[in-house]
């Protein structure tokens, strides 16, 4: 074999490899997706947009002051400005991914606190028909929510009377929902009548009346999906439980979709809220690229897919299957044929505990060990595997994350999700994960770092430290839910803690560096942090 032939062969394969990397990063080059999120929190705006931007798509978003930026009246978002912005920026886009809550109420929190009339709500809802007439070539991927039913009094972002009567309202609607599914016991019937009599009629009327307006709007949006005005409508149940007013309404709206002969490939009612945007972005991208990603799912031993996580009204197996459909994928049983393999970290007993709990230690539990065996089996076979971490709620499982560090597997996986509710984790993971097939290692690792900083470093650890008293070491007036004068000091402290934690616990891939770690609190509270960083590669 001549040296010239060998040289030409090397050049040929080098060009092929180079082309594949370019393709991975530029499948969306020159294409635009218009995106109106449910509010400006990082999980809904920045982190969702950056997934598609990794593929070369231009994600066009409204000015943040048009979106919901908090819970006070002046921060609930501006639907009128959003509608004007939508029409002024729609020309030439390849798809529109739109939060119906933002377009009607201004934001997710706005949907809980508004005093809009039924007429005003439907007036705004019908603007989607007008938009479709003006821009019939733009596929609309819409997503909305069924209002949550908080389980306890004192829940934030609810009407003031919920502080006093929230627990009663939750129990009343829980029994109301249950009575439509199965017969109540005598004691339950007695409690139902007691709650109904003790909750002031004006408060119950206000709370249920606001929900009815939301229900009517969602029913109308399902009709738009039936008429083809929406390419897809994804309706999520905000924080809820197996029996609740949220679950009751979801049953009725699901039945309405069935009566219109709508399958899950057109309209879907599922759990969740903050993951809906990335699922619709993912569906828009897959449709644009004519791709149907194959996804295989494996659960840890024990309850596994039959786990009903905290804040959810259905088993996680159903939520995961629905999210795969929503993202435009197809669930398959064979991991060897999958574009993405989901390894789902659950507890044997099917229960989730809070990441802030004292139980969330780095020492591996029995289920940690069985999960690591499952994960290693996929990695040894070179499957594109990622982790849905839902053993804990509102942050990562420290035992699992420590094992990933100890085994140097942090950047051997394709994707990770372990934040907020179980469906937030699984839904965001699926939306982002099915697109990693188009990404090179640098892009995938960058997204992994975002999740590690948010889910593991901040939510499961730093936030817990702040809650447990560290916040009071920062001078100035303020508290967890209203940072006030503490804001600047807390952002500086959080960035320092994040940098220290990362240096001790994240094993970066070779020839990469991590620096300039910053932290912001976009909603003037500690619940969510926007941690950014510079991730450089010399490859």
């Amino acid at each position: 074999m001549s040296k010239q032939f060998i040289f030409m062969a090397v050049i040929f394969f080098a060009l092929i490899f180079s082309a594949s990397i370019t393709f991975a990063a530029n499948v969306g080059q020159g294409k635009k997706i218009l995106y109106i999120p449910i509010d400006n929190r990082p999980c809904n705006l920045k982190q969702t947009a950056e997934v598609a931007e990794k593929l070369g798509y231009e994600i066009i978003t409204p000015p943040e002051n048009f979106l919901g930026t908090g819970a006070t009246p002046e921060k609930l978002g501006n639907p009128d400005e959003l509608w004007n912005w939508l029409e002024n920026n729609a020309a030439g886009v390849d798809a529109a991914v739109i939060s119906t809550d933002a377009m009607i109420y201004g934001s997710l929190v706005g949907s809980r606190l508004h005093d809009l009339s039924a007429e005003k709500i439907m007036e705004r809802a019908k603007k989607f028909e007008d938009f479709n007439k003006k821009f019939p070539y733009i596929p609309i991927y819409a997503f909305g929510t069924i209002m949550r039913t908080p389980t306890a009094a004192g829940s934030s972002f609810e009407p003031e009377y919920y502080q006093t009567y929230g627990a009663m309202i939750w129990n009343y609607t829980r029994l109301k929902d249950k009575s439509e599914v199965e017969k109540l016991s005598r004691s339950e019937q007695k409690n139902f009548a007691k709650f109904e009599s003790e909750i002031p009629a004006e408060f119950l009327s206000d709370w249920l009346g606001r929900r009815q307006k939301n229900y009517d709007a969602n029913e109308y949006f399902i009709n738009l999906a039936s008429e083809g005005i929406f390419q897809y409508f994804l309706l999520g149940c905000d924080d809820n439980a197996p029996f609740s007013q949220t679950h009751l309404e979801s049953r009725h709206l699901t039945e309405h979709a069935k009566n219109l002969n709508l399958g899950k490939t057109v309209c879907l009612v599922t759990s969740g809220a903050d993951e809906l945007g990335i699922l619709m972005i993912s569906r828009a991208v897959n449709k644009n690229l004519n791709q149907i990603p194959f996804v295989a799912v494996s659960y840890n031993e024990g309850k596994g897919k039959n786990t009903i996580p905290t804040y959810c009204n259905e088993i996680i197996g159903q939520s995961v299957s629905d999210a795969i459909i929503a993202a435009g994928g197809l669930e398959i049983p064979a991991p060897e044929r999958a574009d993405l393999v989901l390894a789902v970290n659950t507890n044997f007993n099917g229960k989730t505990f809070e990441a802030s709990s004292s139980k969330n230690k780095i020492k591996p539990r029995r289920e940690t060990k069985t999960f690591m065996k499952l994960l290693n089996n996929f990695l040894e076979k070179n499957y594109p595997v990622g982790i849905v971490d839902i053993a804990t709620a509102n942050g990562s499982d420290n035992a699992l994350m420590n094992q990933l560090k100890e085994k140097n597997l942090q950047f051997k996986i394709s994707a990770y999700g372990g934040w907020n509710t179980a469906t937030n984790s699984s839904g965001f993971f699926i939306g982002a994960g099915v697109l990693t097939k188009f990404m090179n290692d640098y892009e995938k690792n960058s997204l992994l770092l975002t999740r590690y900083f948010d889910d593991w470093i901040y939510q499961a650890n730093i936030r817990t430290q702040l809650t447990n008293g560290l916040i009071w070491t920062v001078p100035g007036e303020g508290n967890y839910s209203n940072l006030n004068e503490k804001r600047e000091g807390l952002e500086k402290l959080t960035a320092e803690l994040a940098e220290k934690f990362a240096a001790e616990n994240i094993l970066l891939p070779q020839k990469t560096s991590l620096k300039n770690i910053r932290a912001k609190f976009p909603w003037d509270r500690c619940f969510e942090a926007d941690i950014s960083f510079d991730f450089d590669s010399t490859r």
Side-chain angles (χ1 to χ4, degrees), residues 34 51 95 108 150 183 198 235 242 263 314 442 474 503:
L34 186 150
V51 173
L108 179 63
K183 187 175 181 180
E198 292 184 356
L235 183 59
E314 62 188 12
Y442 171 77
V474 176

Side-chain angles (χ1 to χ4, degrees), residues 35-192:
Y35 175 49
I36 300 180
I38 204 168
D39 55 41
N40 80 322
R41 285 174 294 153
C43 59
N44 292 319
L45 179 56
K46 175 183 173 182
Q47 293 175 5
T48 292
E50 74 175 354
V51 173
E53 288 170 346
K54 299 289 186 192
L55 306 181
Y57 283 89
E58 180 183 353
I59 305 300
I60 304 171
T61 59
E64 286 197 46
N65 62 310
F66 292 176
L67 300 169
T69 57
T72 54
E74 69 276 9
K75 293 183 178 181
L76 297 182
N78 192 322
D80 293 332
E81 291 283 11
L82 287 173
W83 277 112
N84 290 334
W85 180 89
L86 174 63
E87 294 202 8
N88 291 335
N89 289 272
V93 303
D94 296 277
V97 177
I98 304 173
S99 161
T100 58
D101 287 343
M103 306 309 285
I104 293 180
Y105 315 107
S107 62
L108 179 63
V109 175
S111 73
R112 303 168 185 164
L113 298 174
H114 73 85
D115 57 2
L116 297 170
S117 67
E119 292 75 20
K120 186 64 176 179
I121 287 173
M122 291 311 297
E123 175 189 322
R124 287 175 174 169
K126 289 179 179 178
K127 287 187 176 184
F128 280 104
E129 293 186 72
D130 298 334
F131 178 79
N132 177 252
K133 289 177 182 176
K134 290 181 181 179
F135 303 96
Y137 58 88
I138 299 177
I140 302 172
Y141 299 87
F143 61 99
T145 63
I146 299 172
M147 294 171 67
R148 70 176 184 174
T149 310
T151 58
S155 296
S156 59
F157 310 142
E158 299 295 329
E160 188 174 346
Y161 56 77
Y162 214 88
Q163 301 287 329
T164 304
Y165 295 100
M168 281 190 189
I169 291 173
W170 178 77
N171 275 297
Y172 169 76
T173 63
R174 177 181 64 84
L175 293 173
K176 182 181 177 184
D177 181 23
K178 188 175 182 180
S179 71
E180 292 187 6
V181 177
E182 58 188 68
K183 187 175 181 180
L184 297 180
S185 67
R186 284 188 179 182
S187 63
E188 287 174 328
Q189 292 175 20
K190 183 178 179 181
N191 285 333
F192 182 77

Side-chain angles (χ1 to χ4, degrees), residues 129-361:
E129 293 186 72
D130 298 334
F131 178 79
N132 177 252
K133 289 177 182 176
K134 290 181 181 179
F135 303 96
Y137 58 88
I138 299 177
I140 302 172
Y141 299 87
F143 61 99
T145 63
I146 299 172
M147 294 171 67
R148 70 176 184 174
T149 310
T151 58
S155 296
S156 59
F157 310 142
E158 299 295 329
E160 188 174 346
Y161 56 77
Y162 214 88
Q163 301 287 329
T164 304
Y165 295 100
M168 281 190 189
I169 291 173
W170 178 77
N171 275 297
Y172 169 76
T173 63
R174 177 181 64 84
L175 293 173
K176 182 181 177 184
D177 181 23
K178 188 175 182 180
S179 71
E180 292 187 6
V181 177
E182 58 188 68
K183 187 175 181 180
L184 297 180
S185 67
R186 284 188 179 182
S187 63
E188 287 174 328
Q189 292 175 20
K190 183 178 179 181
N191 285 333
F192 182 77
K194 178 174 178 289
F195 294 135
E196 190 171 32
S197 66
E198 292 184 356
I199 301 169
E202 65 271 25
F203 295 157
L204 191 59
S205 175
D206 175 78
W207 195 74
L208 292 175
R210 189 176 292 105
R211 298 190 69 95
Q212 185 62 49
K213 296 172 189 177
N214 176 264
Y215 181 95
D216 292 342
N218 285 327
E219 187 176 65
Y220 173 75
F221 292 140
I222 291 173
N223 294 341
L224 294 189
S226 176
E227 295 166 14
I229 291 172
F230 287 163
Q231 181 82 14
Y232 199 91
F233 181 50
L234 180 61
L235 183 59
C237 297
D238 199 4
D239 298 352
N240 63 103
F243 285 122
S244 64
Q245 184 66 22
T246 306
H247 180 251
L248 181 151
E249 292 167 12
S250 73
R251 289 191 294 101
H252 292 184
L253 288 166
T254 298
E255 191 64 28
H256 179 64
K258 287 181 179 177
N259 290 338
L260 294 174
N261 296 316
L262 290 182
K264 291 184 176 183
T265 56
V266 177
C267 175
L268 179 58
V269 182
T270 187
S271 287
D274 291 328
E275 71 275 19
L276 305 179
I278 185 61
L279 286 170
M280 287 297 90
I281 288 278
S282 186
R283 187 177 189 89
V285 168
N286 281 314
K287 185 71 173 179
N288 182 259
L289 298 176
N290 293 313
Q291 293 287 316
I292 300 177
F294 288 177
V295 182
V297 187
S298 289
Y299 295 85
N300 201 4
E301 291 182 8
K303 286 279 188 178
K305 69 178 181 180
N306 293 315
T307 295
I308 300 179
T310 310
Y311 312 112
C312 298
N313 67 349
E314 62 188 12
I315 62 172
I316 191 62
Q318 185 63 57
S319 299
V320 166
S321 294
D322 284 348
I324 292 169
I325 294 171
L330 179 67
E331 186 173 355
I332 63 171
E336 66 273 11
R337 296 181 55 232
D339 296 303
L340 179 68
V341 178
L342 276 68
V344 186
N345 179 36
T346 53
N347 294 315
F348 288 163
N349 61 9
K351 297 183 183 300
T352 52
F353 60 90
E354 293 294 319
S356 58
S357 165
S358 59
K359 294 191 293 184
N360 194 17
K361 302 180 183 300

